[in-house]
Amino acid sequence: MGRDVEQGAFSREDRVRYRQKVRRCLDVFALMLDDFGFDADRPMTGLEIELNLVDSAAEPAMRNDQILADIADPLFQTELGQFNLELNASPRLIEGTGFADYEQDLRGSLARADQRAASSDAKIVMVGILPTLTERHLVADNLSTNERYRVLNDQIVGARGEDIELDIRGVERLQTHTDSIAPESACTSLQFHLQVAPDSFADYWNASQAIAGVQVAIGANSPFLYGRQLWAETRIALFEQATDTRPDELKAQGVRPRVWFGERWITSIFDLFEENVRYFPPLLPIVEDEDPVEVLHAGGVPELAELRLHNGTVYRWNRPVYDIMNGRPHLRVENRVLPAGPTVVDMLANAAFYFGLARALAEADRPIWSQLTFSSAEENFHAAARRGINAVLHWPRLGEVPVTKLVLDVLLPKAAQGLDRFGVAPAERDRLLGVIEQRCRTGRNGAVWQTETVWAAERHRGMDRTAALHHMVQRYAELQRSNEPVHTWPVD
């Protein structure tokens, strides 16, 4: 939900008008899908990275306003917490040396931002959950000052009508309550965007859902929250719980959560937008002046602002996106399952694996979603979040299989085929998929390195958990700047 919001109190009339307008937008979107010229000739990609700010003691630095002003770069935006930033890479093709271009641009942008942050006694850390966060940091007073976050907080907490419960059972257990959505700001993710044609959107979304568990297992990087070791990718459980608008009674009735894996394979992008309108009440009922029917009949491109805003408040792990660029509408799959970090090269390896594998599976003669039940895909997703690179997943014709074996034997060759179809240079393909291969062969990703480093600090340096976490974050920040992939990082 990236747009600014000025309105804080919504009337009953606002909600009625908004619901009517959203449904009008949905009708227009259906007409557009039938015969409108969407931009899909050369599929563009995009990356978003959510970032953490820490001070010299590895504590979260609550000063994103000042640092953003110093950075003065429109590619950097606010995020939910005052210790968060977001970096939006410029969209591009990945053919040829597109990944190398991403790498150069991202490293340059991060280096410049780090230099500016240093003047405010802060540095940038890319990690799924900042391990030194505590409950005293994740409170409403530390939400970013942009009014849209305050309004969103009020609407989610108001819809629930009571405190939000966090109960995550992993290696250790966390059980607590919060009176705001501030704990959501701990979830800093890496998001991929892939532009697709309307008639192939369902294939790409279904493929993305099928491999979400594999992505999470291989890329897990969020094992700690509030000083406890929980899931390998605790961010999944935290995000699902911290934005849950349902009290226990509505959960028992089967009301769908706003952070949602989904419940079925689809045949059209329209299925997802229609479900969002049918199942989820509006959180931010803001109505714009545009009449999308008039714009469409006049030969223009409707903004569909209400439909897009509503879509942005339903947090699917693979989200459908309607957007307009250079006067032409387009559709994207927004893949939201992965954590940020550990390094730029690790994130681009994750990107290459996702883009290549999604294309190969979307264009396969026999779709993977015709062989894998949707419930199995969802179970894979949560099993991967709990166990990370040690997860055992279900896969057609293989049954229960270690995720590392699945990737090495089956999925990496498919990802390579998909990257070839994108026209990625063979050297870039092999370099980045080689990072994924070595993670699988060594059994080491960000979550493994974090936990082993904390254990070593506790057992060999005599540190308590708090000191060990601070030590680990300091070391993590140093190694991150080397841009060496995490499976090569020493534990010391």
Side-chain angles (χ1 to χ4, degrees), residues 251-305:
K251 294 178 188 177
Q253 293 174 36
V255 172
R256 293 158 178 87
R258 293 194 90 97
V259 177
W260 199 28
F261 189 81
E263 60 191 15
R264 63 185 176 115
W265 305 118
I266 65 168
T267 58
S268 166
I269 187 175
F270 186 80
D271 295 348
L272 301 177
F273 279 99
E274 192 274 335
E275 283 181 352
N276 288 354
V277 173
R278 179 155 44 105
Y279 293 146
F280 299 100
L283 286 180
L284 301 170
I286 301 168
V287 177
E288 305 290 351
D289 294 333
E290 177 193 76
D291 184 332
V293 175
E294 290 184 1
V295 172
L296 185 65
H297 287 166
V301 179
E303 293 283 342
L304 306 183

Side-chain angles (χ1 to χ4, degrees), residues 223-242:
F224 294 102
L225 176 65
Y226 293 171
R228 292 175 175 85
Q229 183 185 346
L230 300 170
W231 294 7
E233 190 48 42
T234 304
R235 190 184 113 267
I236 301 298
L238 177 59
F239 192 52
E240 289 177 343
Q241 295 182 22

Side-chain angles (χ1 to χ4, degrees), residues 182-193:
E184 183 197 336
S185 64
C187 304
T188 40
S189 65
L190 168 65
Q191 297 160 24
F192 302 136
H193 292 256

Side-chain angles (χ1 to χ4, degrees), residues 350-363:
N350 291 337
F353 184 60
Y354 168 70
F355 289 136
L357 187 55
R359 180 157 188 174
L361 294 181
E363 296 179 355

Side-chain angles (χ1 to χ4, degrees), residues 30-96:
L31 294 173
M32 294 177 69
L33 289 174
D34 284 339
D35 58 10
F36 210 87
F38 285 84
D39 186 6
D41 300 333
R42 303 182 72 200
M44 299 288 283
T45 67
L47 302 178
E48 299 176 53
I49 309 169
E50 294 169 350
L51 310 168
N52 294 277
L53 297 168
V54 301
D55 62 20
S56 57
E59 290 278 303
M62 305 292 179
R63 55 195 78 140
N64 63 356
D65 271 355
Q66 179 59 50
I67 291 169
L68 274 173
D70 291 341
I71 293 172
D73 183 342
L75 294 179
F76 286 86
Q77 307 284 334
T78 58
E79 252 300 328
L80 182 60
Q82 292 183 28
F83 61 97
N84 299 144
L85 300 175
E86 181 176 88
L87 170 57
N88 295 281
S90 299
R92 70 198 67 206
L93 301 170
I94 56 173
E95 66 183 23

